[in-house]
Amino acid sequence: MKRLLSALCAIAAFASISFAATPLKLSIWGKIAIPQDDSVNGLEIGIGTYTPEVKGIMCNLIYAKTDDCSGWQHAWLITFTKLFKGLQTSIINLNSSEIAGIQKGFFNKAVSIKGLQVGFINVAENMEGVQIGFINFIKNGPIPIMIIANAKF
């Protein structure tokens, strides 16, 4: 597993060098980071951070917040996004707009999701996909609340 994560980090960092954005950002807290760029194409790591745009891997200890992310967003405690494509993992995953991909955590919440939610509690207003967990809620679904699994296509 460590080798796979190392390989993914290396690929994200080296593949992004050809782009004009920052390939590596080290964050302490909020916007305290080196460098203090708003766009990362590669790897963003830290304790807790807000980076408006990330394409690649965003991995933080406490929280990870972004407006637009494509790739993998991870934090031990909580993740926040607006637009998201990829894999989002944390204890609590919160999205205030659209997701295309997977949310995996204890509590997952999305306004609009195309994909999969896996967690103890899953909440979505609009969904095209599947929820797997103890309590699953799709506000605009044919059956709004289900145990174990819920889906809307």
Side-chain angles (χ1 to χ4, degrees), residues 83-152:
L83 299 174
F84 185 78
K85 293 179 184 174
L87 173 64
Q88 188 178 41
T89 57
S90 185
I91 293 172
I92 301 168
N93 296 300
L94 303 175
N95 173 269
S96 63
S97 188
E98 297 178 9
I99 290 182
I102 301 169
Q103 276 188 319
K104 183 177 180 283
F106 181 81
F107 178 79
N108 301 304
K109 182 182 181 294
V111 172
S112 181
I113 182 167
K114 292 181 182 180
L116 175 68
Q117 286 182 316
V118 179
F120 189 75
I121 300 170
N122 300 302
V123 177
E125 287 186 29
N126 300 301
M127 181 156 202
E128 282 186 42
V130 177
Q131 295 175 321
I132 299 171
F134 183 68
I135 298 171
N136 303 289
F137 177 75
I138 302 172
K139 182 178 179 180
N140 297 323
I143 303 173
I145 300 175
M146 291 289 294
I147 303 172
I148 309 299
N150 200 356
K152 181 182 178 203

Side-chain angles (χ1 to χ4, degrees), residues 24-66:
L24 176 65
K25 180 177 178 182
L26 304 173
S27 299
I28 304 296
W29 193 259
K31 289 198 168 212
I32 302 169
I34 301 169
Q36 290 187 334
D37 290 347
D38 287 342
S39 182
V40 174
N41 281 345
L43 177 63
E44 192 277 333
I45 57 175
I47 298 170
T49 188
Y50 168 63
T51 303
E53 181 182 25
V54 177
K55 291 182 183 352
I57 299 170
M58 182 178 204
C59 188
N60 288 274
L61 290 176
I62 298 174
Y63 80 95
K65 182 178 180 181
T66 183

